[in-house]
Amino acid sequence: MRLSRSHPRYASLRIRARLAAQAHTGLVAPEGLIAHGRGETFDYLLGERTTPSARAAERRAAEWIRSARLPVLSVNGNVAALAANEVARVARASPGLSVEVNLFHRTPARARAVANALRAAGVRNVLGVRPSARIPGLPSDRARVDRRGILAADLCIIPLEDGDRTRALRVLGKKVVSIDLNPLSRTSQEADLPIVDELRRALSNIADELERPGPPERTGRFARFDRRRALADALGQIGRNLKRAAAARPQPSAPPGRALRRRARGTGGRSRRTP
Amino acid sequence: MRLSRSHPRYASLRIRARLAAQAHTGLVAPEGLIAHGRGETFDYLLGERTTPSARAAERRAAEWIRSARLPVLSVNGNVAALAANEVARVARASPGLSVEVNLFHRTPARARAVANALRAAGVRNVLGVRPSARIPGLPSDRARVDRRGILAADLCIIPLEDGDRTRALRVLGKKVVSIDLNPLSRTSQEADLPIVDELRRALSNIADELERPGPPERTGRFARFDRRRALADALGQIGRNLKRAAAARPQPSAPPGRALRRRARGTGGRSRRTP
């Protein structure tokens, strides 16, 4: 199906088509497609744009990456399929950062496919294809990590991660930055710095910050972040968007999705005044 | 992965695993998996149970099936993968009802797979494998229907349908019952009787109603249904659940999904008093 650029949800539909196409290559697991759909709904409810609160979280995440002694960005099939270029940008902009393949539904073939997608996008050193360690407290398949990567890291950036693993990383004392559109997910609720934003927008914004000149510090100390407020902001935005959508009457001739977005954008300016 | 029956979201996770497994057989399209994920989020936000408002819509839908001269239940890959047994129950309980394969991403192989899944579940007569007519106003692939089925029907029951097709059916003067967890989708907004509930729960409840003795009328007249109120009820329920979730503090030791469900259930009794 051809998508028109003028479609109000063009970006979201294009991402969807891309992921569906990648499913045939084995890069994305069926469960990954379902997970993407869950995220789509939250992105739709959030207005399909980066909220001011998410933008602030992304700025702070970039600061944390600079501050970390060993930051590691974890990549699964969905992340590689959707945002290999953005991962490469973040890696280029932050020479101390490692990129590690980390799969929930791990097969050797999918691990290689993820690594290949990352290398094709320009990531030089990819860890995790042959895991060399385990995270305690997780079923064996899902615990496998790289000794020089996630196991040694003081900061893990985990886009589209599972709640159990997020928790296991925190139990090991690591700082965790999540990227997850669901503010109610266990990953968002467990993370030290939850970014509630679409993956590509989030990584692009983080890369923008990292590409600005600034001394890489590697202090191992992380500036404060109010995670409860970040999550409350996201839920509040969804609640306001829903209230507006409920107030709008069903209009068969005008798709309601369009109305929701127009209204959500209309207030974006207002809420930006109080970030 | 093994699922524990004690998991608070067991039913939802079991359905997810079933659909992912079916993806490998070709019955479900990759886009169907993504669509399922979108529905999962809405079901989660609705509390993963049939609301009193949805229950009332399901009762009325069963009445409409009795009243219709030619009711047709439209079945796509997701519906066949998730609810072939429930479709068969509805068909058995309503001898005048036809079942028609109707695919968005149509291939001859998938059409046959859907028909086979339905026959294996006990549906005797399956239309739509070799479409014999077109619905005007739709791109060719998506317009194909059966002359004796959807084209001739006065009532179409369309679970998990696309907004364009829903609209095209209404333009042809057919009454439309949708089953869609997203109260903001164009399908829900366009339908004459939108059921905002999970597919299997909805079809089971409709079958329960149809299995009760009652004269099949075939009057071609349909009792009134307040579609705006039904959609507003669903949005209201989501809004209340979100508000409660936002009020609950992030508690790393207790998954917030569990808290959301417990609280949603806690008010279920109250809202049932005013259906």
Side-chain angles (χ1 to χ4, degrees), chain A:
Chain A
M1 187 169 53
R2 261 221 310 262
L3 285 170
S4 158
R5 276 185 181 275
S6 65
H7 193 291
R9 306 192 53 238
Y10 175 75
S12 168
L13 298 179
R14 190 153 163 257
I15 290 171
R16 183 191 302 171
R18 177 173 174 163
L19 202 64
Q22 296 274 17
H24 297 292
T25 70
L27 183 58
V28 178
E31 293 83 356
L33 292 174
I34 299 176
H36 181 73
R38 289 196 296 277
E40 268 191 10
T41 291
F42 280 105
D43 199 20
Y44 173 75
L45 294 173
L46 283 160
E48 289 175 348
R49 64 187 178 85
T50 300
T51 64
S53 175
R55 192 71 187 79
E58 287 151 3
R59 270 194 297 274
R60 184 50 56 100
E63 287 174 33
W64 282 23
I65 290 172
R66 284 193 207 270
S67 303
R69 293 216 171 88
L70 177 55
V72 175
L73 173 53
S74 166
V75 174
N76 62 25
N78 279 31
V79 175
L82 292 172
N85 290 333
E86 287 76 6
V87 168
R89 261 190 78 199
V90 169
R92 262 196 308 274
S94 181
L97 176 133
S98 295
V99 175
E100 176 165 340
V101 178
N102 189 18
L103 302 177
F104 192 94
H105 299 280
R106 179 180 278 272
T107 64
R110 183 169 294 124
R112 281 193 303 273
V114 170
N116 288 340
L118 291 171
R119 288 192 196 104
V123 180
R124 287 199 195 149
N125 190 16
V126 179
L127 303 176
V129 179
R130 274 180 293 274
S132 51
R134 288 178 191 279
I135 298 174
L138 286 176
S140 62
D141 259 15
R142 294 155 57 196
R144 303 178 70 190
V145 293
D146 198 294
R147 189 178 301 281
R148 302 157 297 163
I150 287 174
L151 194 74
D154 58 345
L155 175 68
C156 296
I157 303 104
I158 50 169
L160 318 182
E161 185 52 276
D162 147 73
D164 287 339
R165 289 209 297 211
T166 306
R167 183 155 181 70
L169 292 173
R170 285 197 69 209
V171 167
L172 285 180
K174 298 174 193 312
K175 284 279 180 183
V176 169
V177 173
S178 65
I179 304 174
D180 188 326
L181 280 157
N182 177 0
L184 297 168
S185 74
R186 282 181 56 216
T187 296
S188 292
Q189 298 273 333
E190 295 272 358
D192 298 288
L193 198 164
I195 296 174
V196 183
D197 198 3
E198 192 274 326
L199 174 68
R200 302 210 304 173
R201 293 196 305 262
L203 290 177
S204 289
N205 289 339
I206 291 171
D208 286 348
E209 298 291 335
L210 290 170
E211 283 165 3
R212 284 181 195 154
E217 298 179 37
R218 309 277 160 246
T219 59
R221 284 200 305 275
F222 302 97
R224 209 184 142 277
F225 182 79
D226 190 343
R227 49 195 284 278
R228 289 187 182 178
R229 181 168 165 194
L231 297 174
D233 286 345
L235 285 170
Q237 183 69 54
I238 292 173
R240 285 192 298 280
N241 287 349
L242 274 170
K243 200 168 278 180
R244 280 183 210 107
R249 295 176 159 218
Q251 292 171 329
S253 54
R258 200 174 300 194
L260 177 72
R261 270 180 48 86
R262 207 183 296 129
R263 280 151 186 275
R265 271 186 186 147
T267 58
R270 279 208 294 285
S271 52
R272 243 174 235 127
R273 275 181 224 151
T274 51

Side-chain angles (χ1 to χ4, degrees), chain B residues 112-128:
Chain B
R112 281 194 303 274
V114 169
N116 288 339
L118 290 171
R119 288 193 196 103
V123 180
R124 287 199 194 150
N125 190 17
V126 179
L127 303 176

